Amino acid sequence: MPATLTIYDETTGGERGAAIELEFLTDKITVRELLRERVYQEVKDYNVKQSGVFRGLVQPTDAERTLNGFKLKTARQIDWRPQFDAACTALETNQILLLVDDRQAESLEESITIRPGTEVTFLKLVPLVGG
């Protein structure tokens, strides 16, 4: 049975974005797997809709920050791999904090057990730029 995880983005000012729901095949994942799935899904959703504004964890290169996300200077498909690499680097260098039920995850290999009601918060400390 798939395990569902609820994710929020939060600012240092305490503003919380809309909930993001991700499903995983098992109830035990690593932080790296969580980042990969989140970034992959964000990029996939953008590439399908091509809405003009990318709403994601990492700012794509050649994009400008807007009120509700990032606007690419020229319309194009985004590659999820550079976005994922930038997210991993950001976590490792404390540019973002990842909280699982209010406990900070310390490494990409740390294990997360998904239980009913488990919440993950991404706290962005600086703007992130990827691919």
Side-chain angles (χ1 to χ4, degrees):
M1 181 167 97
T4 302
L5 190 58
T6 304
I7 298 170
Y8 295 94
D9 286 340
E10 217 171 273
T11 66
T12 53
E15 297 171 13
R16 185 177 245 199
I20 302 166
E21 302 257 324
L22 292 178
E23 286 192 356
F24 294 88
L25 296 176
T26 67
D27 63 350
K28 290 201 184 294
I29 60 171
T30 64
V31 169
R32 184 182 306 275
E33 292 166 330
L34 168 60
L35 279 175
R36 182 183 309 120
E37 183 61 26
R38 180 194 170 153
V39 169
Y40 179 82
Q41 192 62 51
E42 289 172 344
V43 170
K44 179 181 167 192
D45 291 347
Y46 173 81
N47 287 340
V48 167
K49 294 177 187 172
Q50 287 287 310
S51 65
V53 176
F54 176 71
R55 291 174 182 85
L57 181 63
V58 179
Q59 179 178 345
T61 53
D62 196 34
E64 298 174 352
R65 180 177 296 277
T66 66
L67 182 60
N68 296 320
F70 308 104
K71 178 152 180 60
L72 277 67
K73 291 180 182 175
T74 44
R76 64 178 168 90
Q77 296 278 303
I78 298 174
D79 183 354
W80 70 273
R81 288 172 198 87
Q83 299 292 106
F84 171 64
D85 292 342
C88 289
T89 299
L91 184 75
E92 290 174 320
T93 59
N94 294 319
Q95 293 174 330
I96 58 171
L97 300 180
L98 178 70
L99 306 172
V100 180
D101 290 331
D102 296 324
R103 185 187 60 76
Q104 184 177 345
E106 299 291 332
S107 78
L108 291 170
E109 303 313 319
E110 187 170 325
S111 181
I112 298 171
T113 301
I114 304 170
R115 297 181 180 85
T118 298
E119 285 188 7
V120 171
T121 302
F122 286 85
L123 182 61
K124 297 182 199 180
L125 302 177
V126 296
L128 307 175
V129 179

